[in-house]
Coordinates of all heavy atoms in Angstrom, one line a residue:
M1 N -13.5 -5.3 -12.5 CA -12.2 -5.7 -11.9 C -12.2 -5.3 -10.5 O -12.7 -4.2 -10.1 CB -11.0 -5.0 -12.7 CG -9.7 -5.4 -12.0 SD -8.3 -4.8 -13.0 CE -8.1 -6.2 -14.1
K2 N -11.6 -6.1 -9.6 CA -11.5 -5.8 -8.2 C -10.5 -4.8 -7.9 O -9.6 -4.6 -8.7 CB -11.2 -7.1 -7.4 CG -12.3 -8.2 -7.5 CD -11.9 -9.4 -6.7 CE -13.0 -10.4 -6.8 NZ -14.2 -10.1 -6.1
A3 N -10.6 -4.1 -6.8 CA -9.7 -3.1 -6.3 C -9.4 -3.2 -4.9 O -10.2 -3.7 -4.1 CB -10.2 -1.7 -6.6
L4 N -8.2 -2.8 -4.5 CA -7.8 -2.8 -3.1 C -7.4 -1.4 -2.7 O -6.6 -0.8 -3.4 CB -6.5 -3.7 -2.9 CG -6.0 -3.9 -1.5 CD1 -7.0 -4.6 -0.6 CD2 -4.7 -4.7 -1.5
S5 N -8.0 -0.9 -1.7 CA -7.8 0.5 -1.2 C -6.6 0.4 -0.2 O -6.6 -0.3 0.7 CB -9.0 1.0 -0.5 OG -8.8 2.3 -0.1
V6 N -5.6 1.2 -0.5 CA -4.4 1.3 0.3 C -4.0 2.7 0.6 O -4.0 3.6 -0.4 CB -3.2 0.6 -0.4 CG1 -1.9 0.6 0.4 CG2 -3.6 -0.8 -0.9
R7 N -3.7 3.1 1.8 CA -3.3 4.4 2.1 C -2.0 4.8 1.6 O -1.1 3.9 1.5 CB -3.3 4.6 3.6 CG -4.7 4.6 4.2 CD -4.7 5.0 5.7 NE -6.0 4.9 6.2 CZ -6.5 5.8 7.0 NH1 -5.8 6.9 7.4 NH2 -7.7 5.7 7.5
Q8 N -1.8 6.0 1.2 CA -0.5 6.5 0.8 C 0.4 6.6 2.1 O -0.1 6.8 3.1 CB -0.6 7.9 0.1 CG -1.2 7.8 -1.3 CD -0.3 7.1 -2.3 OE1 0.6 6.3 -2.0 NE2 -0.5 7.5 -3.5
P9 N 1.7 6.5 1.9 CA 2.5 6.2 0.8 C 2.6 4.8 0.4 O 3.4 4.4 -0.4 CB 3.8 6.9 1.1 CG 4.0 6.7 2.6 CD 2.6 6.8 3.1
W10 N 1.9 3.9 1.2 CA 2.0 2.5 0.9 C 1.6 2.1 -0.5 O 2.1 1.2 -1.1 CB 1.3 1.7 2.0 CG 1.8 1.9 3.4 CD1 1.1 2.6 4.4 CD2 3.1 1.7 3.9 NE1 1.9 2.7 5.5 CE2 3.2 2.2 5.2 CE3 4.3 1.1 3.3 CZ2 4.3 2.1 6.0 CZ3 5.4 1.0 4.1 CH2 5.4 1.5 5.4
A11 N 0.5 2.7 -1.0 CA 0.0 2.5 -2.3 C 1.1 2.8 -3.3 O 1.4 2.0 -4.3 CB -1.2 3.3 -2.6
W12 N 1.8 3.9 -3.1 CA 2.9 4.3 -4.0 C 4.0 3.3 -4.0 O 4.6 2.9 -5.0 CB 3.5 5.7 -3.6 CG 4.7 6.1 -4.3 CD1 4.8 6.8 -5.5 CD2 6.1 5.8 -4.0 NE1 6.1 6.9 -5.9 CE2 6.9 6.3 -5.0 CE3 6.7 5.1 -2.9 CZ2 8.3 6.2 -5.0 CZ3 8.0 5.0 -2.9 CH2 8.8 5.6 -3.9
A13 N 4.3 2.8 -2.8 CA 5.4 1.8 -2.6 C 5.0 0.5 -3.3 O 5.9 -0.2 -3.9 CB 5.6 1.5 -1.1
I14 N 3.8 0.1 -3.3 CA 3.4 -1.1 -4.0 C 3.6 -1.0 -5.5 O 4.1 -1.9 -6.2 CB 1.9 -1.5 -3.8 CG1 1.7 -1.9 -2.3 CG2 1.3 -2.5 -4.7 CD1 0.3 -2.0 -1.9
I15 N 3.3 0.1 -6.1 CA 3.4 0.4 -7.5 C 4.8 0.7 -8.0 O 5.3 0.2 -9.0 CB 2.4 1.4 -8.0 CG1 0.9 1.0 -7.7 CG2 2.6 1.7 -9.5 CD1 0.5 -0.3 -8.3
Y16 N 5.5 1.6 -7.2 CA 6.7 2.2 -7.7 C 8.0 1.7 -6.9 O 9.1 1.9 -7.4 CB 6.7 3.7 -7.6 CG 5.6 4.3 -8.5 CD1 4.4 4.8 -7.9 CD2 5.8 4.3 -9.8 CE1 3.4 5.3 -8.7 CE2 4.8 4.8 -10.7 CZ 3.6 5.3 -10.1 OH 2.6 5.8 -10.9
A17 N 7.8 1.1 -5.8 CA 9.0 0.7 -5.0 C 9.1 -0.8 -4.7 O 9.7 -1.2 -3.7 CB 9.1 1.5 -3.7
L18 N 8.4 -1.6 -5.5 CA 8.4 -3.0 -5.4 C 8.0 -3.6 -4.0 O 8.5 -4.6 -3.6 CB 9.8 -3.5 -5.8 CG 10.3 -3.1 -7.2 CD1 11.7 -3.6 -7.4 CD2 9.4 -3.6 -8.2
K19 N 7.1 -2.9 -3.4 CA 6.5 -3.4 -2.1 C 5.6 -4.6 -2.5 O 4.6 -4.4 -3.1 CB 5.7 -2.4 -1.4 CG 5.1 -2.9 -0.1 CD 4.2 -1.8 0.6 CE 3.7 -2.2 1.9 NZ 2.6 -3.2 1.8
D20 N 6.0 -5.8 -2.2 CA 5.3 -7.0 -2.7 C 4.5 -7.8 -1.6 O 4.0 -8.9 -1.9 CB 6.2 -7.9 -3.5 CG 7.4 -8.5 -2.6 OD1 7.5 -8.1 -1.4 OD2 8.1 -9.3 -3.1
I21 N 4.4 -7.2 -0.4 CA 3.6 -7.8 0.7 C 2.7 -6.7 1.2 O 3.1 -5.6 1.5 CB 4.6 -8.3 1.8 CG1 5.4 -9.4 1.3 CG2 3.7 -8.7 3.0 CD1 6.5 -9.9 2.2
E22 N 1.4 -7.1 1.4 CA 0.4 -6.2 2.0 C -0.2 -6.9 3.1 O -0.7 -8.0 3.0 CB -0.6 -5.8 0.9 CG -1.8 -5.0 1.5 CD -1.4 -3.6 2.0 OE1 -0.3 -3.1 1.8 OE2 -2.3 -3.0 2.7
N23 N -0.1 -6.3 4.3 CA -0.7 -6.9 5.5 C -2.1 -6.5 5.7 O -2.4 -5.3 5.7 CB 0.2 -6.5 6.7 CG 1.6 -7.0 6.6 OD1 1.8 -8.2 6.5 ND2 2.5 -6.1 6.7
R24 N -3.0 -7.5 5.9 CA -4.4 -7.3 6.2 C -4.8 -8.2 7.4 O -4.1 -9.2 7.6 CB -5.3 -7.6 5.0 CG -5.0 -6.7 3.8 CD -5.6 -5.3 4.1 NE -5.0 -4.3 3.1 CZ -5.7 -3.4 2.6 NH1 -7.0 -3.3 2.9 NH2 -5.2 -2.5 1.8
G25 N -5.8 -7.9 8.1 CA -6.3 -8.7 9.2 C -7.2 -9.8 8.8 O -7.9 -10.4 9.6
W26 N -7.4 -10.1 7.5 CA -8.3 -11.1 7.0 C -7.7 -11.8 5.8 O -6.9 -11.1 5.0 CB -9.6 -10.5 6.7 CG -9.6 -9.5 5.6 CD1 -9.7 -9.7 4.3 CD2 -9.4 -8.1 5.8 NE1 -9.6 -8.5 3.6 CE2 -9.4 -7.5 4.5 CE3 -9.2 -7.3 6.9 CZ2 -9.2 -6.1 4.3 CZ3 -9.0 -5.9 6.7 CH2 -9.0 -5.3 5.4
P27 N -8.0 -13.0 5.5 CA -7.5 -13.7 4.3 C -8.2 -13.3 3.1 O -9.4 -12.8 3.1 CB -7.7 -15.2 4.6 CG -8.9 -15.2 5.5 CD -8.8 -13.9 6.4
I28 N -7.5 -13.3 2.0 CA -8.2 -13.0 0.7 C -8.0 -14.3 -0.2 O -6.9 -14.8 -0.3 CB -7.6 -11.8 0.0 CG1 -8.3 -11.4 -1.3 CG2 -6.1 -11.9 -0.2 CD1 -8.0 -10.1 -1.9
H29 N -9.1 -14.7 -0.8 CA -9.1 -15.9 -1.6 C -8.9 -15.7 -3.1 O -8.6 -16.6 -3.8 CB -10.3 -16.7 -1.4 CG -10.5 -17.1 0.1 ND1 -9.8 -18.0 0.8 CD2 -11.4 -16.6 1.0 CE1 -10.2 -18.1 2.0 NE2 -11.1 -17.2 2.2
Y30 N -9.0 -14.4 -3.4 CA -8.9 -14.0 -4.9 C -7.4 -14.1 -5.3 O -6.5 -13.7 -4.6 CB -9.4 -12.6 -5.0 CG -9.2 -12.0 -6.4 CD1 -10.1 -12.3 -7.4 CD2 -8.1 -11.2 -6.7 CE1 -9.9 -11.8 -8.7 CE2 -8.0 -10.7 -8.0 CZ -8.8 -11.0 -9.0 OH -8.7 -10.5 -10.2
R31 N -7.2 -14.6 -6.5 CA -5.9 -14.6 -7.1 C -6.1 -13.9 -8.5 O -7.0 -14.2 -9.2 CB -5.3 -16.0 -7.3 CG -5.2 -16.7 -6.0 CD -4.1 -16.1 -5.1 NE -4.0 -16.9 -3.9 CZ -4.6 -16.6 -2.7 NH1 -5.5 -15.7 -2.7 NH2 -4.4 -17.3 -1.6
G32 N -5.1 -13.1 -8.9 CA -5.2 -12.5 -10.2 C -5.0 -11.0 -10.1 O -4.5 -10.5 -9.1
D33 N -5.2 -10.3 -11.2 CA -5.0 -8.9 -11.3 C -6.0 -8.1 -10.4 O -7.2 -8.5 -10.3 CB -5.1 -8.4 -12.7 CG -4.0 -8.9 -13.6 OD1 -3.0 -9.3 -13.1 OD2 -4.1 -8.8 -14.9
I34 N -5.5 -7.0 -9.8 CA -6.3 -6.2 -8.9 C -5.8 -4.8 -9.0 O -4.6 -4.5 -9.1 CB -6.3 -6.7 -7.5 CG1 -7.3 -6.0 -6.6 CG2 -4.9 -6.6 -6.9 CD1 -7.6 -6.8 -5.3
L35 N -6.7 -3.8 -9.0 CA -6.4 -2.4 -9.1 C -5.9 -1.9 -7.7 O -6.5 -2.4 -6.7 CB -7.6 -1.6 -9.5 CG -8.1 -1.9 -10.9 CD1 -9.5 -1.2 -11.1 CD2 -7.1 -1.6 -12.0
I36 N -4.9 -1.1 -7.6 CA -4.5 -0.4 -6.4 C -5.1 1.0 -6.4 O -4.7 1.8 -7.2 CB -3.0 -0.4 -6.3 CG1 -2.4 -1.8 -6.2 CG2 -2.5 0.4 -5.0 CD1 -2.9 -2.7 -5.0
Y37 N -6.0 1.2 -5.4 CA -6.6 2.5 -5.3 C -6.0 3.2 -4.1 O -5.9 2.7 -3.0 CB -8.1 2.2 -5.0 CG -8.9 3.5 -4.6 CD1 -9.4 4.3 -5.6 CD2 -9.1 3.9 -3.3 CE1 -10.1 5.5 -5.3 CE2 -9.8 5.0 -3.0 CZ -10.3 5.8 -4.0 OH -10.9 7.0 -3.7
A38 N -5.4 4.4 -4.4 CA -4.8 5.2 -3.3 C -5.9 5.9 -2.6 O -6.6 6.7 -3.1 CB -3.8 6.2 -3.9
A39 N -6.1 5.5 -1.3 CA -7.1 6.1 -0.5 C -7.0 7.6 -0.4 O -5.9 8.1 -0.5 CB -7.1 5.5 0.9
K40 N -8.1 8.3 -0.1 CA -8.1 9.7 0.0 C -7.4 10.2 1.2 O -6.8 11.3 1.2 CB -9.5 10.3 0.0 CG -10.2 10.2 -1.4 CD -11.6 10.8 -1.3 CE -12.3 10.7 -2.6 NZ -13.6 11.3 -2.6
T41 N -7.5 9.4 2.3 CA -6.9 9.9 3.6 C -5.5 9.4 3.8 O -5.2 8.3 3.5 CB -7.8 9.5 4.8 OG1 -7.9 8.1 4.8 CG2 -9.2 10.1 4.6
C42 N -4.8 10.3 4.5 CA -3.4 9.9 4.9 C -3.0 11.0 5.9 O -2.9 12.2 5.5 CB -2.4 9.8 3.8 SG -0.7 9.5 4.4
T43 N -2.9 10.7 7.2 CA -2.5 11.7 8.2 C -1.0 12.0 8.0 O -0.2 11.2 7.5 CB -2.8 11.2 9.6 OG1 -1.9 10.1 9.9 CG2 -4.3 10.8 9.7
K44 N -0.6 13.1 8.5 CA 0.8 13.5 8.5 C 1.6 12.5 9.3 O 2.8 12.1 9.0 CB 1.0 14.9 9.1 CG 0.5 15.9 8.1 CD 0.7 17.3 8.7 CE 0.2 18.4 7.7 NZ 0.3 19.7 8.2
K45 N 1.1 12.0 10.4 CA 1.7 11.0 11.3 C 2.0 9.7 10.5 O 3.0 9.1 10.6 CB 1.0 10.8 12.6 CG 1.6 9.8 13.5 CD 0.8 9.6 14.8 CE 1.5 8.6 15.7 NZ 0.8 8.4 16.9
E46 N 0.9 9.2 9.8 CA 1.0 8.0 9.1 C 2.1 8.1 8.0 O 2.9 7.2 7.8 CB -0.3 7.6 8.4 CG -1.4 7.2 9.3 CD -2.7 7.0 8.6 OE1 -3.0 7.8 7.7 OE2 -3.5 6.2 9.1
Y47 N 2.1 9.3 7.3 CA 3.0 9.5 6.3 C 4.5 9.6 6.8 O 5.4 8.9 6.3 CB 2.7 10.9 5.6 CG 3.8 11.3 4.6 CD1 3.9 10.7 3.4 CD2 4.8 12.2 5.0 CE1 5.0 11.0 2.5 CE2 5.8 12.5 4.1 CZ 5.9 11.9 2.9 OH 6.9 12.3 2.0
Q48 N 4.7 10.2 7.9 CA 6.0 10.4 8.5 C 6.5 9.0 9.0 O 7.7 8.7 8.7 CB 6.0 11.3 9.7 CG 7.3 11.7 10.2 CD 8.2 12.3 9.2 OE1 7.7 13.2 8.4 NE2 9.5 12.0 9.1
L49 N 5.7 8.2 9.6 CA 6.1 6.8 10.0 C 6.5 6.0 8.7 O 7.5 5.3 8.8 CB 5.0 6.1 10.7 CG 4.7 6.6 12.1 CD1 3.4 6.0 12.7 CD2 5.9 6.4 13.1
A50 N 5.7 6.1 7.7 CA 6.0 5.3 6.5 C 7.3 5.9 5.8 O 8.2 5.1 5.3 CB 4.9 5.4 5.5
K51 N 7.5 7.2 5.8 CA 8.7 7.8 5.3 C 10.0 7.3 6.0 O 11.0 7.0 5.4 CB 8.6 9.3 5.3 CG 9.7 10.0 4.5 CD 9.5 11.5 4.4 CE 10.6 12.2 3.7 NZ 10.3 13.6 3.5
E52 N 9.9 7.3 7.3 CA 11.0 6.8 8.2 C 11.3 5.3 7.9 O 12.4 4.9 7.8 CB 10.7 7.0 9.6 CG 10.7 8.5 10.0 CD 10.2 8.8 11.4 OE1 9.9 7.8 12.2 OE2 10.0 10.0 11.8
F53 N 10.2 4.5 7.8 CA 10.4 3.1 7.5 C 11.1 3.0 6.1 O 12.0 2.2 5.9 CB 9.1 2.4 7.5 CG 9.2 0.9 7.2 CD1 9.6 0.0 8.1 CD2 8.9 0.5 5.9 CE1 9.7 -1.3 7.8 CE2 9.0 -0.9 5.6 CZ 9.4 -1.8 6.5
G54 N 10.6 3.7 5.1 CA 11.2 3.7 3.8 C 12.7 4.1 3.8 O 13.5 3.4 3.1
H55 N 13.0 5.1 4.6 CA 14.4 5.6 4.7 C 15.3 4.4 5.2 O 16.4 4.2 4.7 CB 14.4 6.8 5.6 CG 15.8 7.3 5.8 ND1 16.5 8.0 4.8 CD2 16.7 7.2 6.8 CE1 17.7 8.3 5.2 NE2 17.8 7.8 6.5
C56 N 14.8 3.7 6.2 CA 15.6 2.6 6.8 C 15.8 1.5 5.7 O 16.7 0.7 5.8 CB 14.8 2.0 8.0 SG 14.8 3.1 9.4
M57 N 14.8 1.4 4.7 CA 14.9 0.4 3.7 C 15.6 0.9 2.4 O 15.7 0.2 1.4 CB 13.5 -0.1 3.3 CG 12.7 -0.7 4.5 SD 13.5 -2.2 5.2 CE 13.2 -3.3 3.9
G58 N 16.1 2.1 2.5 CA 16.8 2.7 1.3 C 15.8 3.2 0.3 O 16.2 3.4 -0.9
V59 N 14.6 3.5 0.6 CA 13.6 4.0 -0.3 C 13.2 5.4 0.0 O 12.9 5.7 1.1 CB 12.3 3.1 -0.3 CG1 11.2 3.6 -1.2 CG2 12.6 1.6 -0.6
V60 N 13.3 6.3 -1.0 CA 13.0 7.7 -0.9 C 11.5 7.8 -1.3 O 11.2 7.7 -2.5 CB 13.9 8.6 -1.7 CG1 13.5 10.0 -1.5 CG2 15.4 8.4 -1.2
I61 N 10.7 8.2 -0.4 CA 9.3 8.3 -0.7 C 9.0 9.8 -1.0 O 9.5 10.7 -0.3 CB 8.4 7.9 0.6 CG1 8.6 6.4 0.8 CG2 7.0 8.3 0.4 CD1 8.0 5.9 2.1
P62 N 8.2 10.0 -2.1 CA 7.9 11.4 -2.5 C 7.2 12.2 -1.4 O 6.6 11.6 -0.5 CB 7.0 11.2 -3.7 CG 7.3 9.9 -4.2 CD 7.6 9.1 -3.0
E63 N 7.2 13.5 -1.5 CA 6.5 14.3 -0.5 C 5.0 14.0 -0.6 O 4.5 13.7 -1.7 CB 6.7 15.8 -0.8 CG 8.2 16.2 -0.5 CD 8.6 15.9 1.0 OE1 7.8 16.2 1.9 OE2 9.7 15.4 1.2
L64 N 4.3 14.1 0.5 CA 2.9 13.7 0.6 C 2.1 14.5 -0.4 O 1.2 14.0 -1.0 CB 2.4 14.0 2.0 CG 0.9 13.6 2.3 CD1 0.6 12.2 1.9 CD2 0.5 13.9 3.7
I65 N 2.3 15.8 -0.6 CA 1.5 16.6 -1.5 C 1.6 16.1 -2.9 O 0.7 16.3 -3.7 CB 2.0 18.1 -1.4 CG1 0.9 19.0 -2.0 CG2 3.3 18.3 -2.0 CD1 1.0 20.4 -1.6
S66 N 2.7 15.4 -3.3 CA 2.8 14.9 -4.7 C 2.3 13.5 -4.9 O 2.2 13.1 -6.1 CB 4.3 15.0 -5.1 OG 5.0 14.0 -4.4
L67 N 1.8 12.9 -3.8 CA 1.3 11.5 -4.0 C -0.2 11.6 -4.4 O -1.0 12.3 -3.8 CB 1.4 10.7 -2.7 CG 2.8 10.4 -2.3 CD1 2.8 9.8 -0.9 CD2 3.5 9.5 -3.3
R68 N -0.6 10.9 -5.4 CA -2.0 10.9 -5.9 C -2.8 10.2 -4.8 O -2.4 9.1 -4.3 CB -2.1 10.2 -7.2 CG -1.4 11.0 -8.3 CD -1.6 10.4 -9.7 NE -0.8 9.1 -9.7 CZ -1.1 8.2 -10.6 NH1 -2.1 8.3 -11.4 NH2 -0.4 7.0 -10.6
R69 N -4.0 10.7 -4.6 CA -4.9 10.1 -3.6 C -6.3 10.2 -4.2 O -6.7 11.0 -5.0 CB -4.9 10.9 -2.3 CG -3.6 10.6 -1.5 CD -3.6 11.3 -0.2 NE -3.1 12.7 -0.4 CZ -3.1 13.6 0.5 NH1 -3.6 13.3 1.7 NH2 -2.6 14.8 0.3
G70 N -7.2 9.2 -3.8 CA -8.5 9.2 -4.2 C -8.7 8.7 -5.7 O -9.6 9.0 -6.3
Q71 N -7.7 7.8 -6.1 CA -7.8 7.3 -7.5 C -7.0 6.1 -7.6 O -6.1 5.7 -6.8 CB -7.3 8.4 -8.5 CG -5.9 8.8 -8.2 CD -5.4 9.9 -9.1 OE1 -5.2 9.7 -10.3 NE2 -5.4 11.1 -8.5
V72 N -7.3 5.3 -8.7 CA -6.5 4.1 -9.0 C -5.1 4.6 -9.5 O -5.1 5.5 -10.4 CB -7.2 3.3 -10.1 CG1 -6.3 2.2 -10.6 CG2 -8.5 2.7 -9.5
I73 N -4.1 4.0 -9.0 CA -2.7 4.4 -9.4 C -2.0 3.2 -10.1 O -0.9 3.4 -10.6 CB -1.9 4.9 -8.3 CG1 -1.7 3.9 -7.2 CG2 -2.6 6.2 -7.7 CD1 -0.6 4.3 -6.2
G74 N -2.5 2.0 -10.2 CA -1.8 1.0 -10.8 C -2.6 -0.4 -10.7 O -3.7 -0.4 -10.1
I75 N -1.9 -1.4 -11.2 CA -2.5 -2.7 -11.2 C -1.4 -3.7 -10.8 O -0.2 -3.6 -11.2 CB -3.1 -3.1 -12.5 CG1 -3.9 -4.4 -12.5 CG2 -2.1 -3.1 -13.6 CD1 -4.7 -4.7 -13.7
V76 N -1.8 -4.7 -10.0 CA -0.8 -5.7 -9.5 C -1.5 -7.1 -9.6 O -2.7 -7.1 -9.9 CB -0.3 -5.5 -8.1 CG1 0.5 -4.2 -8.0 CG2 -1.4 -5.5 -7.1
T77 N -0.8 -8.1 -9.4 CA -1.3 -9.5 -9.5 C -1.1 -10.1 -8.1 O 0.0 -10.2 -7.6 CB -0.6 -10.3 -10.5 OG1 -0.7 -9.7 -11.8 CG2 -1.2 -11.7 -10.6
I78 N -2.2 -10.6 -7.5 CA -2.2 -11.3 -6.3 C -1.9 -12.8 -6.6 O -2.6 -13.4 -7.4 CB -3.5 -11.2 -5.5 CG1 -3.7 -9.8 -5.0 CG2 -3.5 -12.2 -4.3 CD1 -5.0 -9.5 -4.3
V79 N -0.8 -13.3 -6.0 CA -0.4 -14.7 -6.3 C -0.6 -15.6 -5.1 O -0.6 -16.8 -5.3 CB 1.0 -14.8 -6.9 CG1 1.1 -14.0 -8.2 CG2 2.0 -14.2 -5.9
D80 N -0.7 -15.1 -3.9 CA -0.8 -15.9 -2.7 C -1.3 -15.1 -1.6 O -1.3 -13.8 -1.6 CB 0.5 -16.5 -2.4 CG 0.4 -17.8 -1.5 OD1 -0.7 -18.2 -1.2 OD2 1.4 -18.3 -1.1
C81 N -1.7 -15.8 -0.5 CA -2.1 -15.1 0.7 C -1.7 -16.0 1.9 O -2.1 -17.2 1.9 CB -3.6 -14.8 0.7 SG -4.2 -14.1 2.3
K82 N -1.0 -15.5 2.8 CA -0.6 -16.2 4.0 C -1.4 -15.5 5.2 O -1.1 -14.4 5.5 CB 0.9 -16.1 4.3 CG 1.7 -16.6 3.2 CD 1.6 -18.1 3.0 CE 2.5 -18.6 2.0 NZ 2.3 -20.0 1.6
F83 N -2.3 -16.2 5.8 CA -3.1 -15.7 6.8 C -2.4 -15.9 8.2 O -1.9 -16.9 8.5 CB -4.5 -16.3 6.9 CG -5.4 -15.7 8.0 CD1 -5.8 -14.4 7.9 CD2 -5.7 -16.5 9.1 CE1 -6.6 -13.9 8.9 CE2 -6.5 -16.0 10.1 CZ -6.9 -14.7 10.0
S84 N -2.5 -14.8 9.0 CA -2.0 -14.9 10.3 C -2.9 -14.2 11.3 O -3.5 -13.1 10.9 CB -0.6 -14.2 10.4 OG -0.2 -14.1 11.8
Q85 N -3.2 -14.7 12.4 CA -4.0 -14.0 13.4 C -3.5 -12.7 13.8 O -4.2 -11.7 14.1 CB -4.2 -14.9 14.7 CG -5.0 -16.1 14.4 CD -6.5 -15.9 14.3 OE1 -7.0 -14.8 14.4 NE2 -7.2 -17.0 14.0
V86 N -2.2 -12.5 13.7 CA -1.5 -11.3 14.0 C -0.8 -10.7 12.8 O 0.2 -11.2 12.4 CB -0.4 -11.5 15.2 CG1 0.2 -10.2 15.5 CG2 -1.1 -12.1 16.4
A87 N -1.4 -9.7 12.2 CA -0.8 -9.0 11.0 C 0.3 -8.1 11.5 O 0.1 -7.4 12.5 CB -1.9 -8.3 10.2
S88 N 1.4 -8.1 10.8 CA 2.5 -7.3 11.2 C 2.2 -5.8 10.9 O 1.4 -5.5 10.0 CB 3.8 -7.7 10.5 OG 3.7 -7.5 9.1
G89 N 2.7 -4.9 11.6 CA 2.4 -3.5 11.5 C 3.3 -2.8 10.4 O 4.2 -3.4 9.9

């Protein structure tokens, strides 16, 4: 089965907070189930920016120390891909 590596806390948001869009700088042609792998690395700055974004969206993100990293945390289904030369941040 294929897997997609995503940094925390975005991986958590995909599985637990209904984040249904993932921005990448390249198109993906695969459709179907894919494992979400929580990457090992996540800087404090990356975490803080994501936490602030989540707060603005009404999502409470768990503390960084409690987020699983370096392992598969769930499975999702890719149903479409919209390619753009400029991926949103």
Side-chain angles (χ1 to χ4, degrees):
M1 179 173 273
K2 295 182 181 289
L4 182 65
S5 180
V6 182
R7 289 185 183 226
Q8 288 288 27
W10 301 114
W12 175 88
I14 289 170
I15 300 301
Y16 298 105
L18 304 176
K19 179 182 184 293
D20 60 357
I21 296 173
E22 174 63 12
N23 296 306
R24 298 286 164 141
W26 60 89
I28 184 170
H29 303 287
Y30 175 80
R31 302 293 181 268
D33 291 345
I34 192 166
L35 300 170
I36 298 297
Y37 174 83
K40 288 183 181 182
T41 59
C42 176
T43 67
K44 289 180 183 178
K45 182 178 179 180
E46 289 171 330
Y47 172 79
Q48 191 58 40
L49 289 171
K51 187 173 181 176
E52 290 170 9
F53 180 81
H55 179 73
C56 291
M57 302 297 289
V59 176
V60 178
I61 296 173
E63 292 301 316
L64 180 57
I65 196 163
S66 68
L67 293 173
R68 294 182 292 158
R69 289 183 273 170
Q71 59 186 285
V72 171
I73 64 167
I75 186 170
V76 296
T77 303
I78 294 177
V79 296
D80 200 6
C81 175
K82 303 291 184 192
F83 180 71
S84 171
Q85 292 286 357
V86 181
S88 63

